[in-house]
């Protein structure tokens, strides 16, 4: 106990020094950073107050093949702001073709089933055979044009369907009426560029793994240019209530409700810790994305992540910590080894101890050198107790070189910017900090963040830069 008090006292002194540093850095302006690329798709800037497309379920898709059609293609979802809750006379332009009929759309303006993050709303529409090229997507709402979001219409990739309630793995999967039944079987049929649509209903098969690290033939990856996409059937809600081991590279999981149940560790596990072993036949998992999903129910973690170039964007996360969790720990994101990961535009509530546990250590024998880097940007972090033991803070950062023999683990670049942190509780448990950096957390830039209803910001002894960070003791809502 005396050691804990001593640590917290030292942390308080450093925080007072940091406040002076923040004020100095604010008056001097924000510095620049380099060496870390951001892998989310970039778009043109929207008009202030006008419609704005923030992210999409895919960056390209086939213009034919829907239910066997030669003229209708993949269903694509975008998440946007200021588009209203119904279409009216508004329109969408996709790869040079204007969509302005009700039959072009499965939904316009929905924000539930699954719940959307940060006040965004969904538009889900179908590609068609008149579309081609890389003209992108934009919407026109009340005569105001949005930003152009990059998107390419192509002719590659198959469209397949899964229906756990009524399908059969002996079907061909080419239409919703001839859908496959299980996620395991469907995943094993996927090839680069394919789309897997889950008919509405609950998917609770005992386990679902996409590849396995030790079997050379058990691997079903997409590519960076032609990803494999798993999503809900347009206008319906697929509820996945099992543990998804998403080990194969270049998969996107989008517009799905992941619902935990008692005893479930985590519904979406991105990558594989064993990919860092010298003897892993497939190497480190790459490019696995979670976009626009909802995480609810009871669980230990919402997502784990082991691998490089992941994007976790636009997810709404609010769950009840499982009473059986180890030491009461229940993290929304359990981030481990990997480089250039982007955590962006998510809305994260509750959990227990930490919302993001960005903490890596030696996990298995035979590991190679491991590195940690990424961007945490534009998120809403609500560190309010939601049925667990409470929150120490929003983000914990640390890497540990442990085990025998030891493996070198380095935090080479982390950026935390443009986030909002708050709590509705009286304070954080044990007077910890919203962003807590332990001894080996280094090379971190923190700027343009806003803190509500808390004065405990950081604690660390390491290599950091802070600027343009504000704090308020008024509650956000």
């Amino acid at each position: 106990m005396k050691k804990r008090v001593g640590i917290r006292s030292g942390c308080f002194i450093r925080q007072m020094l940091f406040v002076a540093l923040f004020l100095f850095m604010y008056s001097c302006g924000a510095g620049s950073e380099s060496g870390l690329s951001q892998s989310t798709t970039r778009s043109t800037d929207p008009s202030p107050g006008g419609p704005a497309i923030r992210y999409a379920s895919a960056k390209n898709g086939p213009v034919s093949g829907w239910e066997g059609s030669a003229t209708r293609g993949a269903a694509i979802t975008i998440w946007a702001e200021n588009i209203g809750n119904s279409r009216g006379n508004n329109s969408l332009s996709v790869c040079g073709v204007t969509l302005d009929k009700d039959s072009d759309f499965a939904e316009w303006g929905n924000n539930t089933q699954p719940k959307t993050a940060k006040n965004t709303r969904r538009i889900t529409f179908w590609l068609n055979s008149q579309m081609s090229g890389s003209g992108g997507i934009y919407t026109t709402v009340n005569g105001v044009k949005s930003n152009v979001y990059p998107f390419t219409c192509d002719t590659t990739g198959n469209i397949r369907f899964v229906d756990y309630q009524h399908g059969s793995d002996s079907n061909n999967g080419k239409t919703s009426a001839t859908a496959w039944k299980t996620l395991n079987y469907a995943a094993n049929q996927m090839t680069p560029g394919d789309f897997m649509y889950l008919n509405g209903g609950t998917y609770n098969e005992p386990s679902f793994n996409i590849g396995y690290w030790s079997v050379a033939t058990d691997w079903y990856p997409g590519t960076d240019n032609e990803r494999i996409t798993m999503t809900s059937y347009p206008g319906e809600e697929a509820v996945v209530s099992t543990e998804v081991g998403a080990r194969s590279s270049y998969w996107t999981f989008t517009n799905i409700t992941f619902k935990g149940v008692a005893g479930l560790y985590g519904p979406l596990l991105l990558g594989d810790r064993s990919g860092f072993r010298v003897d892993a036949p497939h190497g480190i998992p790459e490019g696995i994305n979670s976009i626009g999903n909802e995480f609810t129910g009871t669980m230990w973690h919402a997502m784990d992540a082991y691998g490089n170039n992941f994007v976790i964007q636009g997810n709404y996360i609010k769950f009840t910590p499982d009473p059986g969790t180890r030491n009461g720990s229940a993290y929304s994101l359990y981030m481990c080894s990997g480089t250039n990961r982007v955590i962006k535009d998510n809305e994260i509530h509750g959990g227990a101890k930490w919302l993001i546990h960005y903490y890596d250590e030696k996990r298995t024998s035979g590991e190679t050198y491991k590195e940690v880097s990424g961007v945490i940007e534009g998120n809403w972090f609500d560190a309010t107790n939601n049925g667990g033991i409470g929150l120490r803070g929003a983000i914990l950062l640390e890497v540990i070189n442990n085990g025998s023999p030891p493996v070198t683990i380095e935090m080479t670049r982390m950026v935390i910017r443009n986030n909002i942190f708050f709590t509705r509780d009286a304070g954080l448990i044990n007077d910890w900090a919203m962003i807590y950096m332990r001894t080996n957390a280094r090379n971190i830039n923190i700027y343009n963040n806003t803190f509500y209803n808390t004065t405990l910001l950081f604690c660390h002894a390491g290599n950091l830069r802070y600027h343009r960070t504000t704090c308020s003791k008024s509650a956000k809502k």
Side-chain angles (χ1 to χ4, degrees), residues 12 88 114 120 127 152 155 157 163 250 286 295 316 342 357 361 365 381 389 435 437:
F12 176 78
T120 56
L127 304 179
T152 299
T155 58
D163 187 336
Y250 299 110
E286 295 279 345
F295 293 82
Y316 182 90
V342 177
H357 191 273
E361 57 187 321
S365 61
F381 292 116
I389 65 172
I435 302 176
M437 293 155 286

Side-chain angles (χ1 to χ4, degrees), residues 353-371:
K353 287 191 177 178
W354 304 98
L355 300 179
I356 299 181
H357 191 273
Y358 222 121
Y359 188 107
D360 197 34
E361 57 187 321
K362 183 179 176 70
R363 304 286 177 174
T364 68
S365 61
E367 288 181 336
T368 61
Y369 163 81
K370 299 200 295 183
E371 189 175 316

Side-chain angles (χ1 to χ4, degrees), residues 8-30:
R8 303 307 304 148
S9 299
C11 181
F12 176 78
I13 294 171
R14 285 193 292 274
Q15 289 166 8
M16 297 302 101
L17 295 175
F18 291 161
V19 169
L21 178 60
F22 297 152
L23 295 175
F24 174 75
M25 293 300 291
Y26 183 86
S27 66
C28 294

Side-chain angles (χ1 to χ4, degrees), residues 82 189 356 427 457:
N82 304 321
Q189 315 312 310
I356 299 181
L457 305 185

Side-chain angles (χ1 to χ4, degrees), residues 35-362:
L36 184 66
S37 63
Q38 189 172 339
S39 57
T40 51
T41 303
R42 295 183 181 276
S43 62
T44 59
D45 292 331
S47 301
I53 300 174
R54 296 306 184 193
Y55 37 94
S57 60
K59 62 182 181 180
N60 58 291
V63 298
S64 63
W66 182 264
E67 301 271 10
S69 171
T71 58
R72 172 168 279 191
I76 304 297
T77 300
I78 60 173
W79 285 260
E81 298 170 358
N82 304 321
I83 60 170
N85 58 12
S86 61
R87 189 178 70 83
N89 294 320
N90 301 319
S91 64
L92 194 72
S93 179
V94 184
C95 299
V97 175
T98 298
L99 303 179
D100 56 6
K101 300 180 179 62
D102 288 344
S103 58
D104 295 325
F105 301 92
E107 59 178 353
W108 183 297
N110 294 39
N111 61 1
T112 61
Q113 296 181 311
K115 187 173 178 60
T116 62
K118 296 181 60 180
N119 299 323
T120 56
R121 291 180 178 272
R122 292 190 305 272
I123 300 174
T124 300
F125 59 94
W126 283 274
L127 304 179
N128 65 54
S129 57
Q130 299 177 23
M131 301 171 181
S132 64
S134 55
I137 303 171
Y138 66 87
T139 184
T140 302
V141 176
N142 298 325
V144 180
K145 178 181 173 180
S146 75
N147 56 313
V148 179
Y149 190 88
F151 187 86
T152 299
C153 296
D154 59 32
T155 58
T156 61
N158 301 304
I159 296 173
R160 298 292 183 258
F161 301 89
V162 187
D163 187 336
Y164 192 63
Q165 278 70 41
H166 307 292
S168 170
D169 288 342
S170 63
N171 288 338
N172 62 21
K174 293 182 178 181
T175 69
S176 56
T178 59
W180 294 316
K181 179 177 179 63
T182 64
L183 298 174
N184 274 290
Y185 180 84
N188 293 354
Q189 315 312 310
M190 294 294 101
T191 59
D194 288 356
F195 284 74
M196 181 201 302
Y197 292 91
L198 311 186
N199 287 12
T202 299
Y203 293 76
N204 57 3
E205 57 194 89
S207 63
F208 171 36
N209 293 304
I210 306 172
Y212 191 65
W213 76 272
S214 66
V215 181
T217 57
D218 192 2
W219 200 247
Y220 308 96
T223 68
D224 189 25
N225 291 328
E226 295 291 343
R227 308 181 62 84
I228 298 171
T229 302
M230 188 175 98
T231 185
S232 293
Y233 190 96
E236 300 184 6
E237 182 187 23
V239 179
V240 175
S241 190
T242 187
E243 187 174 293
V244 178
R247 296 182 172 93
S248 297
S249 296
Y250 299 110
W251 278 66
T252 295
F253 302 87
T254 180
N255 201 22
I256 296 169
T257 297
F258 290 93
K259 186 174 183 180
V261 294
L264 180 70
Y265 174 75
L268 185 56
L269 311 181
L270 307 178
D272 194 327
R273 66 177 64 178
S274 296
F276 293 86
R277 293 170 57 112
V278 176
D279 57 347
H282 311 291
I284 300 171
E286 295 279 345
I288 308 174
N289 297 346
S290 172
I291 297 176
N293 301 299
E294 179 182 358
F295 293 82
T296 185
T298 301
M299 62 191 75
W300 286 38
H301 303 159
M303 284 179 271
D304 281 12
Y306 296 85
N308 302 331
N309 299 299
F310 293 178
V311 176
I312 298 173
Q313 185 171 22
N315 300 282
Y316 182 90
I317 304 174
K318 186 175 183 179
F319 65 91
T320 301
D322 191 310
T325 57
R326 185 175 302 168
N327 301 319
S329 301
Y331 313 124
S332 294
L333 303 180
Y334 190 57
M335 306 296 295
C336 298
S337 312
T339 61
N340 201 32
R341 277 93 61 92
V342 177
I343 302 172
K344 185 177 182 181
D345 299 329
N346 302 285
E347 183 175 342
I348 303 178
H349 301 265
K353 287 191 177 178
W354 304 98
L355 300 179
I356 299 181
H357 191 273
Y358 222 121
Y359 188 107
D360 197 34
E361 57 187 321
K362 183 179 176 70

